Amino acid sequence: MKKNSLTILRVIYMFGFPVFAHFGGHLIETKIKLFFFAALIIFYLGTFLIEKYFNKNLLNYKALVMRVLIVLFNLCLAPFIQISFVGILIYIFLFLITALTVTNNDDLIEMGEGLFLGIFSDFRFIVLILISLVLFLYKMFF
């Protein structure tokens, strides 16, 4: 495809996906979305720890998981889009994080870890997050 065609498709994707998620997000039950969101966060933290302690390069896996996390986050948050000030702010936020998914793997991981995992540099905090996610999943299903 031509470069202009791909640019147009990216712009349509960035503007249209939050709207699609708003209408399509109602079809998937919230409990299922939250389960997959928590499971992907655990998987991402696992790849982070494997990469750190075993000196492996898991950049492609981390980028894929981060893109799927952004899509699931869109599906979870998009039903709150409405015609109000808060709804417009939610749409702008979802547009900005959806725009992250069209970047290359290096930039996506650098921005994602800088924004979201910068506070996870302490190992005790990672353990606390994992325990919280396990308790959340236990409470959700039992």
Side-chain angles (χ1 to χ4, degrees):
M1 292 183 95
K2 293 183 178 180
K3 188 175 181 177
N4 292 338
S5 300
L6 290 175
T7 304
I8 290 171
L9 286 175
R10 286 181 180 146
V11 170
I12 290 171
Y13 165 72
M14 289 185 308
F15 280 106
F17 190 75
V19 175
F20 170 75
H22 174 67
F23 295 110
H26 296 291
L27 299 176
I28 303 170
E29 189 177 337
T30 305
K31 191 183 257 190
I32 295 170
K33 288 187 283 192
L34 289 175
F35 172 73
F36 282 119
F37 194 73
L40 282 171
I41 288 175
I42 290 171
F43 183 73
Y44 186 82
L45 289 174
T47 59
F48 180 74
L49 292 174
I50 288 171
E51 190 173 58
K52 183 175 181 181
Y53 292 115
F54 294 112
N55 295 326
K56 297 203 181 233
N57 187 8
L58 300 175
L59 181 70
N60 291 332
Y61 296 113
K62 287 169 59 174
L64 176 69
V65 170
M66 188 164 293
R67 284 184 174 97
V68 173
L69 276 170
I70 289 172
V71 167
L72 277 173
F73 188 71
N74 268 317
L75 287 173
C76 289
L77 200 58
F80 299 108
I81 294 175
Q82 53 189 343
I83 300 179
S84 68
F85 181 70
V86 175
I88 292 170
L89 287 178
I90 290 172
Y91 177 78
I92 291 170
F93 176 70
L94 291 179
F95 167 76
L96 290 175
I97 65 169
T98 303
L100 287 175
T101 63
V102 296
T103 60
N104 62 8
N105 291 346
D106 295 329
D107 292 339
L108 175 68
I109 296 300
E110 183 180 329
M111 286 185 285
E113 287 181 353
L115 292 174
F116 304 116
L117 292 179
I119 59 173
F120 295 149
S121 61
D122 188 12
F123 185 71
R124 292 173 292 180
F125 193 69
I126 292 173
V127 171
L128 180 67
I129 293 279
L130 290 174
I131 291 171
S132 300
L133 285 173
V134 168
L135 290 174
F136 173 73
L137 292 173
Y138 177 77
K139 181 70 176 165
M140 184 185 300
F141 290 105
F142 299 109

